[in-house]
Amino acid sequence: QGIASNAVTWGQLANPPPPLPWVPMMTAIGSKTEEHYLTAMRRLAPELIRQGQIGRDASVLDIGCGCGRMASAFSQYLSDDARYLGFDLWEDGIRWCQENITPVRPNFEFRTIKASDDYYFLKGDGSPNQFDLGFIPSASFDCVFAISVFTHLKLHDARQYFEMIARVLKPGGRACLTFFMM
């Protein structure tokens, strides 16, 4: 599968193809400027490739893909034989990815999932979500990652994601998850 290790590949990751989401979308995922958005992309993508041992033909699952920050970087790295699946609760972010990334990279798929309690964007009542994650095939991903997703989840929702991750990783697959801990 060949894992990226040379400067040319890192350079490709550093320069995602246009267009980029507009700044209000970037702000929704924590980047107040285009430069911050790009800096985070340039820092995170190579680290995910290294830690996740992601080869160019890998199958990758991006939990909470937002408006495609990692997808844009990975579109420069993954081959046409690779698979990239991103999902999020944020319909506008998913729509942007479907309209701007998938037409250029048909092997990059994006899906909106519904939550009965969308406490991230709306005020919720605290009831447990029952995410429909059945569309994600079992034992089919080399790497699953979630950047700053678990920071925002309640315990019952995090458990659903952990169970899904265990189910969808191929034997020997890796999960790269970031957390903010106190």
Side-chain angles (χ1 to χ4, degrees):
Q1 271 187 311
I3 297 166
S5 63
N6 62 47
V8 173
T9 303
W10 301 133
Q12 290 169 338
L13 290 173
N15 299 302
L20 291 176
W22 48 92
V23 173
M25 288 191 112
M26 293 176 186
T27 301
I29 64 164
S31 291
K32 295 192 185 304
T33 66
E34 184 175 299
E35 188 53 40
H36 183 273
Y37 182 88
L38 291 169
T39 298
M41 179 189 303
R42 290 175 184 133
R43 181 179 52 83
L44 290 168
E47 189 63 20
L48 286 171
I49 290 168
R50 188 176 69 73
Q51 292 287 337
Q53 298 182 0
I54 300 171
R56 293 181 56 81
D57 295 335
S59 53
V60 177
L61 177 63
D62 183 353
I63 300 170
C65 65
C67 56
R69 179 171 51 197
M70 292 297 95
S72 291
F74 275 86
S75 73
Q76 296 296 94
Y77 172 70
L78 293 174
S79 76
D80 290 341
D81 294 326
R83 178 176 187 211
Y84 192 102
L85 173 60
F87 70 85
D88 203 296
L89 303 175
W90 186 28
E91 290 182 52
D92 291 341
I94 293 296
R95 189 175 316 106
W96 190 92
C97 292
Q98 291 169 336
E99 292 171 359
N100 292 280
I101 298 172
T102 302
V104 178
R105 293 300 307 270
N107 55 328
F108 280 57
E109 177 185 357
F110 301 92
R111 297 243 190 135
T112 303
I113 62 166
K114 301 292 182 195
S116 55
D117 185 356
D118 187 358
Y119 51 82
Y120 188 71
F121 291 108
L122 307 168
K123 293 288 184 202
D125 64 6
S127 60
N129 280 304
Q130 295 302 315
F131 298 117
D132 181 7
L133 302 172
F135 68 93
I136 305 169
S138 297
S140 59
F141 289 94
D142 297 302
C143 185
V144 174
F145 61 82
I147 306 300
S148 193
V149 171
F150 289 93
T151 302
H152 305 284
L153 295 179
K154 295 180 181 174
L155 182 59
H156 48 77
D157 294 346
R159 281 189 179 129
Q160 287 182 70
Y161 282 136
F162 285 130
E163 290 169 1
M164 180 269 303
I165 291 167
R167 177 180 65 78
V168 304
L169 277 173
K170 291 178 181 177
R174 291 179 172 242
C176 298
L177 315 170
T178 65
F179 298 85
F180 177 75
M181 302 175 108
M182 306 271 295

